[in-house]
Amino acid sequence: MMTSPKIIAGNWKMNGTAAFLKECLSYWQGLDLIHDLVICPPFTLLTEANKNIHLSKVSLGAQDCHQKPLGAFTGNISADQVKETGCSHVIIGHSERRQYHGENNDLVKVKAETAILSGLKPIICVGENLAEREQGSALEVLKNQIEECLPKSPEFLIAYEPVWAIGTGKAASLKDIEEVHSFLRRLIGPYIPLLYGGSVTLENYKEILLTNNVDGVLVGGASLKKEDFGRMLCDQ
Ligand code: PGA
């Protein structure tokens, strides 16, 4: 069954070269895209990507921004700088940022507020880890993340990314996705787009997109496979 248009975000993480970007852009150009793509390459490729994206269904996202609008923060990138590259979106609070850069809910909220002030739509990531899932406290953890991370303005998206499903090849079951998404939907209301992320592949993306309250997917590893990702965008 063909799915109705959804959001497919591709998170390249710390992967990708200018040559790979060029290949992907020309490949997507030739496709009949059904879904809306938000491509999130590394910072270094954003300007080049923006110059060469000529498709209405493709927009650009960064993978992070700093919580302050500007200042002495060596090595960081501000939300305004991200916006200036042509981005419309920015991923905030990805579990890899939480894990390797000590980002907590309070910081995620400030970053999301800063991004919105700069005219970006944050894709705010939430998700329980394996121990929390096994203890049966996933929904409680998620509720807490939602209460602590969400900005006042409703100009954001949520990505539910169970930490144990990211990069492991073990996506959450459709039943778990449905349970969590309907729980999150009740917490955030009817209008905020809700994406699922964690080992989404060409094999499982269709049934995930057909699950209740799933408005799209956030794809890591599989977004680096040009043909697979292209097929997802065309719903093939
Ligand atoms: P994955 O990553 O698709 O490789 O599991 C998803 C993500 O980290 O956003």
Side-chain angles (χ1 to χ4, degrees):
M1 192 195 330
M2 164 104 65
T3 42
S4 57
K6 304 274 183 176
I7 300 161
I8 301 201
N11 175 10
W12 283 7
K13 309 191 180 187
M14 201 172 70
N15 298 292
T17 57
F20 180 65
L21 173 73
K22 202 168 163 198
E23 264 177 51
C24 290
L25 288 172
S26 65
Y27 186 69
W28 298 332
Q29 202 75 36
L31 300 175
D32 188 11
L33 304 188
I34 303 283
H35 300 298
D36 290 317
L37 166 62
V38 182
I39 188 68
C40 306
F43 290 125
T44 49
L45 299 177
L46 291 172
T47 303
E48 188 60 20
N50 185 48
K51 261 196 263 165
N52 293 292
I53 289 176
H54 306 299
L55 292 162
S56 62
K57 285 180 132 343
V58 182
S59 45
L60 195 57
Q63 298 173 18
D64 180 46
C65 68
H66 198 266
Q67 64 274 24
K68 296 269 193 218
L70 79 175
F73 300 103
T74 301
N76 287 117
I77 311 270
S78 76
D80 276 351
Q81 288 166 335
V82 166
K83 177 76 181 163
E84 199 179 27
T85 63
C87 282
S88 50
H89 292 73
V90 57
I91 299 171
I92 298 288
H94 189 280
S95 73
E96 286 150 18
R97 299 289 314 174
R98 293 177 187 257
Q99 189 180 347
Y100 304 126
H101 298 266
E103 298 195 0
N104 61 19
N105 293 342
D106 293 343
L107 182 62
V108 169
K109 179 175 179 160
V110 182
K111 285 190 174 203
E113 305 266 15
T114 306
I116 292 170
L117 274 179
S118 298
L120 295 165
K121 277 192 185 227
I123 302 173
I124 302 171
C125 299
V126 295
E128 81 284 358
N129 63 31
L130 188 58
E132 292 160 342
R133 163 97 2 213
E134 285 176 348
Q135 280 155 20
S137 55
L139 296 185
E140 197 185 310
V141 169
L142 287 161
K143 182 164 185 272
N144 194 41
Q145 289 178 342
I146 292 291
E147 282 169 2
E148 294 187 355
C149 292
L150 296 202
K152 283 189 206 79
S153 157
E155 292 301 307
F156 60 88
L157 298 80
I158 295 281
Y160 167 54
E161 297 212 304
V163 179
W164 46 270
I166 296 177
T168 59
K170 285 189 204 145
S173 68
L174 296 180
K175 188 170 155 281
D176 287 342
I177 296 174
E178 177 148 16
E179 183 194 26
V180 169
H181 278 233
S182 67
F183 177 74
L184 294 174
R185 178 59 71 217
R186 286 198 296 281
L187 291 178
I188 62 177
Y191 303 117
I192 307 290
L194 260 176
L195 315 186
Y196 166 79
S199 296
V200 176
T201 62
L202 185 58
E203 286 71 43
N204 64 17
Y205 84 100
K206 263 195 198 185
E207 48 188 15
I208 294 174
L209 288 180
L210 288 168
T211 303
N212 284 333
N213 288 308
V214 173
D215 301 305
V217 283
L218 178 50
V219 186
S223 70
L224 293 163
K225 296 181 184 162
K226 198 179 56 180
E227 280 88 11
D228 281 15
F229 196 54
R231 285 176 64 190
M232 288 189 205
L233 299 170
C234 300
D235 207 79
Q236 282 173 358

